[in-house]
Amino acid sequence: MLSAPRRFVAASEVEVERLEGKTHHWYFKDGLGDAESLVFVRARIEPGAGHPFHTHPEMDEIIYVLEGSMTQWLEHEKRELRPGDSIYIPRGFVHGCINRSTAECEFLAILSPAKINGPFAVDVSGEEPWCSLAES
């Protein structure tokens, strides 16, 4: 017997992922919630931390900043994102962020589609020009 679709995810049901310098609160992703076309995550980045340069080969992403600020790269371009700012990252584009402020940065990210064949992300932070850009 099939279970009813899971459309609501309470805060107490969120999958929390704690990594060095950041915390991800996964609301919808493959295997959580009932959204096959979307991934939805709230992220908190501590000062000095971030997401290294990477791509999502099969997923588009939108990031929306709730509080704090972060330096966001999209390929070779970088911008300081603050509350209310957003960025659209097409699939396969290299991107990364770092929180260079003294306060935490919180943002929402939506990725699509949720069901893919390959890896969620591919880390390119050790490759040029990305490892040099991270220092700029």
Side-chain angles (χ1 to χ4, degrees), residues 1-7 34 36:
M1 178 181 285
L2 296 175
S3 61
R6 187 170 172 207
R7 306 271 192 237
D34 187 44
E36 291 189 3

Side-chain angles (χ1 to χ4, degrees), residues 55-89:
T55 68
H56 301 288
E58 299 177 54
M59 304 171 97
D60 297 322
E61 180 175 13
I62 292 176
I63 294 173
Y64 177 84
V65 178
L66 296 169
E67 65 180 53
S69 66
M70 66 180 178
T71 303
Q72 175 72 54
W73 281 267
L74 178 61
E75 296 283 325
H76 299 282
E77 183 179 358
K78 72 177 177 179
R79 298 243 177 121
E80 192 70 18
L81 298 181
R82 291 176 170 58
D85 293 343
S86 63
I87 178 173
Y88 166 65
I89 305 164

Side-chain angles (χ1 to χ4, degrees), residues 24 41-45 51 61-67 70 72 97 105-109:
H24 299 134
V41 61
R42 184 183 59 161
R44 291 194 71 81
I45 308 289
H51 289 114
E61 180 175 13
I62 292 176
I63 294 173
Y64 177 84
V65 178
L66 296 169
E67 65 180 53
M70 66 180 178
Q72 175 72 54
C97 67
C105 177
E106 183 174 23
F107 64 89
L108 302 174

